[in-house]
Structure formats: structure tokens, C-alpha cells
Amino acid sequence: MSAHNILVVIGLLAFASYVAYATDPTQLQDFCVGANDPNNALFVNGLFCKNPMDVKPEDFFSGGLDKPGNTHNNLGFNVSLVSATQLPGLNTLGISLARIDYAPYGLNPPHIHPRATEILTVIEGTLYVGFVTSNLPGGGNKFFAKVLNKGDVFVFPQGLIHFQFNVGKIPAVAIAGLSSQNPGTATIANAVFGAQPPISIDVLSKAFQLDEKVIKYLQSRFWMST
């Protein structure tokens, strides 16, 4: 290959690299509204970085995941999240972890993680898990489900509705890895029927094809925070 062709190839590779990296950073929260006045800028996309000289081993450590979470609630589950908020050393690393405890027949209800793919490993018990695709080109949504036992692994793609249900008579435990330092969680029932201020009854009754009285009843229910 001539020197001229080599330079052309190098130039194309450099341009391709520039195009590949000349994109907006991945968001680490639902939104980050711009502020022209620095005095009013309370948040950044992620967390402020500590001076490397002030960093300590404790910044990369978090304990307590050996302890079961409290599952005494309406759904019978608990999530113990280790994100950059709990473990500052995770900041900018694009990963977080969660321990999920399930009472017998406990449910981690249908929800999404807007900023993360989740990979789940069952530590104890038996879980029925699944996720639903986004709207398919031909219409409809495909549902993928599996019964998991101890040691089994399942992945939930980023942004798709998914759930886990303990189908056993004993408590279950799972560990989840998430591909964001702040994956976020939007529980479908909470978001739709428990939003504040409430979503219009007209909107919900038409969207779900339900009588307005049913919508009012659903909005009056207690929606636990997950």
C-alpha cells in the first residue's frame, strides 16, 4: 500500500473515531435542565468528583448486602441498591448493584430501568421472571418469560418492562447488576395511577378502555414506593 493510501486510511479512521465519540453524554438522571447562572446550578449529570488526593479506600467500599431486606409490605419484596449514591467510587464507572429479597409469593412488580440493562442471578429460591418488548413493527409486543432456580441468570434489556415473582413457599434472594451508576426505576402501576399531580381521568379511561369509576378507584389505592 502506498504512503498516500496509508494516509487516506489513517484520515478515515481518525474521522470515524471523531464521529463515534462526538455524541452527547449518556444521561444519568431523568433530566438536567440547563442553568446560565452557576449559583443556581445544584446538580450535574452524575456526581462531582473528589480530588484524587483526598480519595480513601472507603470510597470504593459498601457493606450490608448480607442482610435481608424488609419484605413486610403489600408486594412482599425489597430492593437494596448500591449505586453511586451509596458507593461514591462508582461515579462515572457505569455500573451498580442491587440485592432483591422476596417474601413467599412476593412480587417485584412490572417496572423499567430507563438508563440500564439488568442481569439477574438467583441466589436462593425460585423466581418467575419476564420482560415485554417495545412495540413491534407489525404491531403488538412479545413477552419473554422463564422460571429461574438457584444459580440461574436472566437479562432484562434496557428500558423494557420486566418483573420478578417468587413462586416458591420460601423466601427468595437475587443479585442484580445494572449498567448505570444511576439506573432509575419507574414502576408502571405507580407511575400511571399514583402520579402527583394525577394524570387526567379522561386520559386514563380512554387509554385503558375502562370506566371512569374504575380509574378513580385505582388512583385512590396506596401505591408503594419502589
Side-chain angles (χ1 to χ4, degrees):
M1 182 181 290
S2 69
H4 176 266
N5 289 338
I6 292 174
L7 289 175
V8 170
V9 171
I10 292 173
L12 288 173
L13 288 173
F15 177 74
S17 298
Y18 171 78
V19 172
Y21 288 100
T23 59
D24 291 334
T26 300
Q27 64 190 70
L28 297 173
Q29 53 213 35
D30 286 346
F31 47 79
C32 186
V33 178
N36 292 324
D37 182 0
N39 294 324
N40 292 327
L42 301 180
F43 299 95
V44 294
N45 190 29
L47 301 173
F48 290 104
C49 297
K50 182 183 286 189
N51 185 326
M53 300 305 296
D54 296 331
V55 172
K56 301 177 181 178
E58 289 74 18
D59 293 321
F60 301 97
F61 171 81
S62 178
L65 283 191
D66 58 317
K67 298 178 177 61
N70 182 5
T71 59
H72 296 293
N73 52 63
N74 291 341
L75 295 174
F77 88 110
N78 181 275
V79 177
S80 301
L81 180 65
V82 180
S83 67
T85 302
Q86 293 79 25
L87 204 170
L90 287 175
N91 190 38
T92 75
L93 298 185
I95 192 170
S96 57
L97 186 75
R99 170 180 172 144
I100 312 172
D101 290 277
Y102 312 82
Y105 306 110
L107 172 69
N108 187 359
H111 62 283
I112 67 169
H113 300 299
R115 294 177 290 277
T117 290
E118 175 181 348
I119 184 166
L120 183 91
T121 303
V122 178
I123 306 301
E124 294 290 346
T126 301
L127 298 177
Y128 172 60
V129 307
F131 70 87
V132 181
T133 67
S134 56
N135 299 346
L136 298 173
N141 308 80
K142 189 167 183 178
F143 176 51
F144 297 88
K146 189 80 173 173
V147 174
L148 306 182
N149 296 299
K150 182 177 180 179
D152 290 343
V153 179
F154 198 83
V155 65
F156 305 104
Q158 179 175 342
L160 298 187
I161 297 173
H162 62 283
F163 66 88
Q164 302 109 32
F165 179 53
N166 181 5
V167 294
K169 297 180 180 180
I170 62 172
V173 181
I175 294 292
L178 300 120
S179 61
S180 171
Q181 71 178 54
N182 184 22
T185 300
T187 305
I188 306 305
N190 297 33
V192 173
F193 297 109
Q196 293 297 328
I199 298 174
S200 165
I201 291 176
D202 292 336
V203 170
L204 295 180
S205 61
K206 186 154 189 174
F208 289 94
Q209 297 293 289
L210 293 173
D211 185 88
E212 290 186 0
K213 292 181 180 179
V214 176
I215 298 298
K216 289 180 180 179
Y217 169 76
L218 290 172
Q219 289 184 324
S220 70
R221 300 289 294 168
F222 172 75
W223 299 103
M224 68 171 287
S225 174
T226 57

